[in-house]
Amino acid sequence: MDCEPPFEEAYKTLLKNPYGDSEVDYSVEECELPLINLSRLSCGQRERDKCINEMVNAARNLGFFQVVSHGISKEILKNMIYEQKNLFHQPFQKKVKDGFLNLSTNSYRWGNLKATRLSQFSWSEAFHIAITDIPGIKDDTLRVTTEKITKAVAGLAKSLAEILAQYVGVRSSYFQENCPATGSYLRLNRYPPCPYSSKVFGLIPHTDTDFLTILYQDQVGGLQLFKDGRWFAVRPDPDALIINIGDFFQAMSNCVYKSSKHRAVSSQASERLSVAYFYCPSDDAIIRGCSRPPVYRDFSFKEYKQQTNKDVEETGDKVGLSRFLL
Ligand SMILES: O=C(O)CCC(=O)C(=O)O
Ligand SMILES: [Fe+2]
């Protein structure tokens, strides 16, 4: 299909000559992510406290949980996946062009042109969209759908962040003051069927650069998370959204909450689609540990982005929070 990025051509040498890279281990166990029903937040104090407790425990132990009764209509979520499919099925030459749909330069990404080993290479493509770009998208149905979904998940992200912050003693107004709707990102992911799926990741292991991520996925499956030295597969649930803690909550909570490593494996047979909302602060917002002594030094979102971009450029890996350890 002429929609596919030229993965094989770009990575011909790596695919022939894997430099001792090992196979991706598919025989991982499935893990049941805690499934939290958010309707209990408005069911009286006792139910609310129980619900918050479950969320806090999941954020502390796993850094991942799922939510249902989250208030985002199934229709919006399904429309998003439908729109994504149409978007990604456009010719590669169109997608890669500067200003495609009036999106900012570098919104469309595929593979990892800096990869020197197969293990640094992601067999996937994505539109990484700044929220400020959405009103200018030159495709009516895509614009309307992305506007609807971002508005809905932004409210959910803020509520969850406020609840988790309160538990570690951070004033909940922090998010109102430091995370304007325009600071966040929406990422549309597509994992094409991959003939080398035992050798190449769909998305390389990483942690997310944000406070928290809200992920919706189709039913193909492929997300895996790292816990206690092992990888676990997450079974898709059509009614649930996946929430994961990002680097900034780990830093702000002084490591009470975990920004867990995760990855996506691809399938030989089917394409997979997912959409992630990264809840981020404004560029100059300061991320500071909530208790003394702090584990990490204070840093701004801008500084973190500059450091991780530099590290990716130089090493193929974002390195992340360990750069800011005191
Ligand atoms: O597609 C997935 O399951 C994971 C996506 C992800 O981790 C990301 O976009 O950061
Ligand atoms: Fe991620």
Side-chain angles (χ1 to χ4, degrees):
M1 249 197 301
D2 72 347
C3 69
E4 296 298 356
F7 292 118
E8 301 214 28
E9 208 177 301
Y11 297 100
K12 216 186 295 172
T13 331
L14 287 185
L15 287 165
K16 265 200 217 134
N17 215 346
Y19 300 121
D21 271 325
S22 52
E23 304 246 311
V24 179
D25 182 10
Y26 273 114
S27 58
V28 300
E29 255 174 73
E30 266 194 351
C31 84
E32 287 291 332
L33 284 188
L35 185 66
I36 301 177
N37 187 327
L38 294 184
S39 66
R40 291 178 304 153
L41 287 174
S42 42
C43 277
Q45 201 57 43
R46 243 178 87 96
E47 278 305 307
R48 184 179 162 83
D49 288 348
K50 266 166 63 185
C51 180
I52 291 176
N53 214 18
E54 285 171 23
M55 236 188 281
V56 164
N57 283 340
R60 295 181 68 139
N61 299 328
L62 265 186
F64 267 83
F65 53 96
Q66 309 177 82
V67 295
V68 288
S69 297
H70 40 63
I72 294 152
S73 88
K74 204 150 184 190
E75 194 194 339
I76 297 183
L77 296 168
K78 283 204 157 150
N79 284 350
M80 189 67 250
I81 296 288
Y82 176 81
E83 288 298 326
Q84 267 177 257
K85 204 172 265 192
N86 285 342
L87 174 64
F88 283 117
H89 286 185
Q90 301 221 25
F92 173 70
Q93 288 309 335
K94 249 171 106 177
K95 292 184 283 193
V96 83
K97 246 201 191 120
D98 233 4
F100 173 61
L101 296 178
N102 202 28
L103 291 167
S104 294
T105 309
N106 204 26
S107 297
Y108 177 67
R109 301 163 186 194
W110 66 279
N112 168 12
L113 294 172
K114 297 270 171 348
T116 54
R117 283 177 286 132
L118 273 188
S119 56
Q120 292 176 330
F121 168 51
S122 297
W123 194 280
S124 56
E125 54 178 339
F127 283 92
H128 195 85
I129 304 173
I131 301 304
T132 42
D133 269 3
I134 293 179
I137 293 179
K138 279 196 177 148
D139 175 305
D140 291 346
T141 55
L142 179 67
R143 185 183 61 255
V144 170
T145 308
T146 43
E147 267 169 352
K148 277 190 188 159
I149 196 165
T150 359
K151 209 166 151 213
V153 292
L156 177 62
K158 182 163 178 273
S159 311
L160 297 177
E162 287 175 350
I163 288 172
L164 292 169
Q166 213 168 21
Y167 175 79
V168 290
V170 173
R171 65 197 158 79
S172 43
S173 59
Y174 175 91
F175 299 99
Q176 182 65 34
E177 289 157 15
N178 291 284
C179 301
T182 47
S184 294
Y185 293 85
L186 192 70
R187 186 179 165 100
L188 315 179
N189 292 309
R190 174 175 178 263
Y191 305 92
C194 173
Y196 307 95
S197 58
S198 64
K199 286 190 162 55
V200 185
F201 295 118
L203 188 59
I204 56 171
H206 66 282
T207 58
D208 288 349
T209 300
D210 61 2
F211 278 106
L212 56 85
T213 307
I214 301 183
L215 184 89
Y216 180 69
Q217 56 173 329
D218 64 17
Q219 293 308 293
V220 175
L223 174 63
Q224 299 186 346
L225 64 92
F226 196 63
K227 165 142 175 84
D228 300 333
R230 288 164 63 196
W231 287 98
F232 292 91
V234 176
R235 188 177 336 129
D237 177 331
D239 296 319
L241 294 173
I242 292 172
I243 313 293
N244 69 278
I245 299 295
D247 297 345
F248 301 158
F249 239 134
Q250 175 165 323
M252 180 189 245
S253 69
N254 242 356
C255 296
V256 170
Y257 298 138
K258 291 205 172 51
S259 175
S260 290
K261 224 186 240 185
H262 53 284
R263 67 187 187 186
V265 293
S266 44
S267 139
Q268 291 220 8
S270 340
E271 75 171 358
R272 171 173 178 255
L273 296 157
S274 73
V275 52
Y277 176 80
F278 300 106
Y279 187 50
C280 296
S282 56
D283 268 5
D284 53 1
I286 301 295
I287 290 112
R288 173 172 299 149
C290 64
S291 52
R292 305 292 105 186
V295 178
Y296 306 101
R297 70 171 175 83
D298 295 359
F299 56 86
S300 69
F301 182 28
K302 187 172 171 188
E303 196 182 348
Y304 197 79
K305 271 195 282 198
Q306 279 168 348
Q307 182 67 53
T308 52
N309 286 343
K310 186 166 172 272
D311 284 333
V312 169
E313 192 78 19
E314 287 171 5
T315 69
D317 175 34
K318 91 166 195 185
V319 186
L321 273 181
S322 58
R323 284 269 185 229
F324 298 84
L325 276 170
L326 279 173

